[in-house]
Amino acid sequence: MNATLGRDVFFSFFMFTADLRPQDARYTRTLVHHLKTLTDMGYDGFDVHIAARPSTVEHKLEVDRYIGLRKAFDQAGLGEVRFTTNVGTTRTFDPTSPYEEQRRQALSYLKSRVDITRVLGGDSIMSGPFIYPYGVFPLTDTDEPIWSDALQDWMKPRYHAARSVFEELLEYAAAREVKLAVEPVKSWETPPPNMVSEVLDFLEGLEHTQGGVTIDTAQVVMESQGPSVLKENVARAIRQDRLYYVHISAPDRGAVKDSWIPWHIIANEIEPVYRGPYLIEVFNAIPPFDSSMRMARRRFWRPGEDDPVPDRDSAYDVAAAALEELRERIA
């Protein structure tokens, strides 16, 4: 636990990769180096993306590979390091699909991600945009994009179709002590849910009482109904015990220090009532983020992976400055 803040502070591995490649022993050594450096820096744990594989890859094989990865971390002296996971659904694994067989596939996929979260982090959190498939924008029969009122109406039956999937998924996750925290993501990245209120509405419509929301500072700045509504949604999530995770991220998803983060919301509305971990989340200009997020800014060079660049911040520099900024703003 971070002594200054009295809570865990995690760092997102989106700085380094979108795929841990658990079957790659050589890359595991690179991950271990990053983990040790950042742990020494003061981070308590890490958020890692669980990359989707083709439907032909058995989920049990995926889980077994992450079991091996966790063992490698433990053998490297990282047994006390905690992990949360970032998970998204896909066009193939779509819990909102109108087709029952596809929803069953999605449920199996999401259960495997719960298992991986448990393997890596134990009693932990699985976060991310895992209701509607990330980045899959719907089209009409004539290939016209669907937006605004038409998109909101189109989503209604999709939410309804996902209900049974999430009822079973929440029960499965609860039995494994994994919290599910759905993250709303801005509309230029993905269709709804794009706002905290939409996630809470979906969860309130389920019979299962568990299931929570992730609040990401970048998302609420770029896709929000405003500060007053955000305050109401924070209070609503706290009342229902659904605020599971808070991501500290700049609007451009770059360096946290001296960025346009609504620190007053964090300090005044979230910090007094929230008891979970904070996640420092920086998306580096690496594939696939450089193209999917249209990044024009230069990459933060990654020690051990990229050649050093004089007079330019490394990934470690940015991580250290972000932790210092969080401590100063919140302590």
Side-chain angles (χ1 to χ4, degrees), residues 186-197:
K186 56 191 173 296
S187 59
W188 68 260
E189 278 190 55
T190 191
N194 305 121
M195 293 180 286
V196 174
S197 57

Side-chain angles (χ1 to χ4, degrees), residues 229-304:
V229 174
L230 177 60
K231 291 178 184 179
E232 293 170 5
N233 283 329
V234 170
R236 178 182 171 191
I238 291 294
R239 280 197 310 272
Q240 299 174 7
D241 193 24
R242 295 192 192 275
L243 182 53
Y244 287 176
Y245 213 179
V246 174
H247 293 184
I248 307 298
S249 189
D252 73 340
R253 318 317 297 271
V256 165
K257 187 174 179 61
D258 193 29
S259 64
W260 298 102
I261 288 175
W263 290 111
H264 62 289
I265 296 289
I266 302 295
N268 298 330
E269 306 300 327
I270 292 177
E271 175 65 14
V273 294
Y274 173 64
R275 294 297 173 261
Y278 286 122
L279 173 70
I280 299 291
E281 187 176 54
V282 179
F283 286 71
N284 205 354
I286 56 173
F289 307 131
D290 51 359
S291 59
S292 66
M293 294 189 174
R294 300 172 175 84
M295 291 185 177
R297 59 177 162 82
R298 293 188 180 277
R299 178 183 300 182
F300 305 121
W301 63 273
R302 299 162 296 173

Side-chain angles (χ1 to χ4, degrees), residues 23 25 49 130 139 161:
Q23 72 282 5
H49 182 244
F130 53 84
L139 302 172

Side-chain angles (χ1 to χ4, degrees), residues 137-148 150-151 154:
F137 290 92
L139 302 172
T140 67
D141 291 343
T142 57
D143 290 333
E144 293 294 325
I146 301 173
W147 299 111
S148 190
L151 178 58
W154 187 88

Side-chain angles (χ1 to χ4, degrees), residues 174-189:
R176 286 149 184 82
E177 298 182 301
V178 172
K179 290 183 175 181
L180 301 184
V182 179
E183 180 181 358
V185 175
K186 56 191 173 296
S187 59
W188 68 260
E189 278 190 55

Side-chain angles (χ1 to χ4, degrees), residues 2 8 20 64 86 97 124 136 138 143 218-219 221 227 269 282 298:
N2 190 282
D8 286 340
L20 297 182
D64 288 345
N86 182 286
S97 170
S124 190
V136 180
D143 290 333
Q219 307 296 355
V221 166
E269 306 300 327
V282 179
R298 293 188 180 277

